[in-house]
């Protein structure tokens, strides 16, 4: 069985963006997909400018890809004209992402066809976990979710995602930029050169954002799904 992971994600508070800001966001999402294609076997597409669907052909890489997506979006600078009361949601959370694990009965990049249980699992989960509204306040409990046909696997992975949510949602834009560059395989020295900052600053920011825990989480996710591939 050749299972894959499909990521379904929607940008938080995107309806409050101006048309100009939405255009900037869509260009950034396209740049993100191109960036990921260099290092991972993925196929991504943007729907209506603020909804992302991505097939991760090697499931064990999916958590790293998801964190890169979330951090990249949180690091985007938009000289925001968003309503002040809602701008914080975009800046703090960036995107909600659901990872669906299962078969794809139809998958054709050329024809842009993605069909099967993996995309159903991710799409269903992102719909089920929509933010709630309390008067004019948006209530967002979590932004990272996992869904498959295996409830034990769901519980294990969602436990990790819940902890990562806390770290990533509290991370600054600069910490997110450093983190996604690190997950793309850049050394601290290379990141320092790219961002024109000092290497100790990179190290300090990675420590502050919880790099050791994030690295352990992605390693656990990788080993779990490599083991599943052997079983199937």
């Amino acid at each position: 069985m050749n299972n894959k992971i499909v990521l379904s994600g929607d940008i938080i508070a995107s309806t409050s963006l101006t048309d100009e800001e939405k255009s900037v966001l869509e260009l950034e999402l396209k740049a993100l997909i191109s960036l990921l294609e260099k290092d991972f076997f993925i196929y991504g597409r943007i729907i209506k400018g603020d909804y992302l669907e991505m097939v991760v052909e090697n499931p064990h890489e999916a958590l790293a890809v998801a964190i890169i997506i979330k951090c990249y979006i949180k690091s985007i600078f938009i000289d925001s004209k968003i309503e002040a009361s809602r701008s914080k949601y975009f800046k703090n959370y960036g995107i909600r992402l659901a990872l669906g694990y299962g078969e794809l009965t139809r998958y054709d990049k050329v024809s842009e066809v993605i069909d099967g249980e993996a995309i159903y699992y991710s799409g269903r989960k992102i719909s089920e976990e929509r933010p709630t509204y309390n008067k004019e306040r948006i209530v967002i409990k979590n932004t990272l979710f996992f869904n498959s046909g295996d409830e034990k696997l769901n519980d294990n992975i969602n436990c990790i995602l819940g902890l990562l949510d806390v770290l990533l949602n509290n991370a600054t834009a600069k910490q997110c930029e450093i983190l996604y560059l690190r997950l793309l395989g850049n050394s601290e020295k290379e990141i320092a050169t790219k961002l024109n900052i000092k290497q100790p600053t990179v190290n300090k920011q990675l420590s502050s954002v919880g790099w050791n825990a994030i690295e352990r989480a992605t390693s656990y996710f990788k080993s779990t799904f490599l083991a599943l591939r052997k079983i199937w």
Side-chain angles (χ1 to χ4, degrees):
M1 188 181 296
N2 187 20
N3 286 355
K4 303 186 188 306
I5 284 183
V6 173
L7 304 179
S8 295
D10 64 341
I11 303 297
I12 292 172
S14 62
T15 55
S16 296
L17 294 171
T18 66
D19 289 340
E20 182 181 352
E21 290 163 352
K22 287 177 182 177
S23 296
V24 170
L25 177 62
E26 188 166 358
L27 287 173
E28 290 284 5
L29 289 176
K30 289 177 180 177
L32 171 60
I33 291 172
S34 297
L35 184 69
L36 288 168
E37 286 174 340
K38 294 177 183 178
D39 292 286
F40 302 95
F41 291 105
I42 63 102
Y43 164 70
R45 63 188 184 189
I46 304 160
I47 301 172
K48 296 181 180 179
D50 65 352
Y51 189 89
L52 182 69
E53 287 183 339
M54 186 174 293
V55 178
V56 183
E57 298 187 25
N58 294 326
H60 63 274
E61 299 177 331
L63 181 57
V65 170
I67 296 172
I68 291 169
I69 291 171
K70 187 168 176 67
C71 287
Y72 185 97
I73 291 171
K74 282 197 61 171
S75 73
I76 294 172
F77 175 75
I78 293 180
D79 187 13
S80 185
K81 300 178 182 65
I82 306 176
E83 304 166 33
S85 61
R86 301 192 70 180
S87 62
K88 63 181 181 181
Y89 298 110
F90 176 76
K91 292 176 181 177
N92 290 349
Y93 302 107
I95 189 171
R96 299 183 314 116
L97 282 168
L99 293 72
Y101 177 64
E103 284 189 284
L104 285 181
T105 51
R106 297 176 64 211
Y107 174 42
D108 187 331
K109 298 178 185 179
V110 176
S111 301
E112 299 185 349
V113 174
I114 307 173
D115 191 21
E117 61 182 9
I119 195 168
Y120 297 153
Y121 284 138
S122 64
R124 186 181 305 134
K125 193 65 177 176
I126 206 74
S127 295
E128 289 174 354
E129 302 290 348
R130 288 191 180 280
T132 57
Y133 295 82
N134 182 7
K135 295 183 179 180
E136 294 185 359
R137 178 170 168 266
I138 303 175
V139 179
I140 300 172
K141 295 181 179 179
N142 298 94
T143 64
L144 295 172
F145 315 97
F146 179 85
N147 195 21
S148 72
D150 185 332
E151 288 304 319
K152 184 177 180 180
L153 181 64
N154 294 348
D155 289 342
N156 290 343
I157 301 302
N158 279 312
C159 180
I160 294 172
L161 295 185
L163 296 172
L164 288 176
D165 239 339
V166 176
L167 294 177
L168 300 179
N169 291 337
N170 287 325
T172 65
K174 179 56 68 178
Q175 288 172 337
C176 284
E177 186 175 21
I178 290 171
L179 182 53
Y180 84 69
L181 287 171
R182 188 71 182 90
L183 285 167
L184 285 170
N186 294 279
S187 67
E188 290 186 4
K189 184 176 180 180
E190 288 169 332
I191 295 170
T193 301
K194 287 176 185 288
L195 301 182
N196 195 28
I197 57 178
K198 296 180 179 179
Q199 185 174 343
T201 301
V202 174
N203 182 271
K204 182 179 179 180
Q205 295 287 7
L206 284 171
S207 296
S208 296
V209 80
W211 167 248
N212 288 340
I214 291 167
E215 187 177 34
R216 289 182 67 182
T218 54
S219 294
Y220 172 80
F221 189 96
K222 181 177 181 178
S223 62
T224 297
F225 283 88
L226 284 175
L228 285 174
R229 185 170 68 179
K230 291 179 181 179
I231 294 171
W232 292 113

